[in-house]
Amino acid sequence: MLTVQKDTPASHRGKGWEIFTDRIIEEVNKKEEPVVFMLWGNFARSKKNLITNPKHLILEAPHPSPFSARSGFFGCNHFIKANEFLKSKKIEPIDWQIENI
């Protein structure tokens, strides 16, 4: 996940990260083991065309920012869906619990 300047959505754009992140997506897409891609927000969703391996699962939702989370991110159940997919492929599900240290 890329961070942005406070109150400046998309402030990470145009700084070269797109080249880097596209390349990472392309490399992960080559994996034979199934992968779950969670594309949150329009910018992430625009990367869907880079994910061509039918073994992978693509989950899409609005961005979880305070500006748009209520328009579909809340209730999308991506963490549950990801684990259901992984279990169906005999892959260990992810422990999504955040623990205080």
Side-chain angles (χ1 to χ4, degrees):
M1 177 186 331
L2 303 175
T3 59
V4 297
Q5 293 175 349
K6 185 179 181 198
D7 300 324
T8 312
S11 60
H12 58 6
R13 282 198 188 151
K15 307 227 185 296
W17 285 107
E18 295 85 354
I19 297 165
F20 176 73
T21 55
D22 285 0
R23 179 64 184 200
I24 296 296
I25 293 167
E26 289 167 353
E27 288 301 313
V28 173
N29 182 59
K30 292 178 185 176
K31 289 181 62 119
E32 287 304 310
E33 181 180 23
V35 172
V36 178
F37 288 87
M38 295 181 182
L39 306 180
W40 296 345
N42 290 333
F43 183 74
R45 293 167 102 174
S46 74
K47 303 298 180 175
K48 183 177 178 177
N49 65 318
L50 300 174
I51 306 164
T52 58
N53 188 332
K55 292 182 179 185
H56 303 323
L57 174 65
I58 301 170
L59 300 173
E60 299 180 66
H63 195 279
S65 77
F67 301 111
S68 59
R70 293 198 191 316
S71 64
F73 178 78
F74 292 142
C76 72
N77 295 319
H78 278 188
F79 303 111
I80 293 169
K81 290 176 182 177
N83 277 348
E84 288 173 349
F85 174 77
L86 294 173
K87 286 190 266 185
S88 77
K89 303 298 182 186
K90 309 285 190 258
I91 299 171
E92 183 76 22
I94 297 167
D95 180 357
W96 297 103
Q97 296 297 314
I98 298 174
E99 297 180 23
N100 293 329
I101 297 175

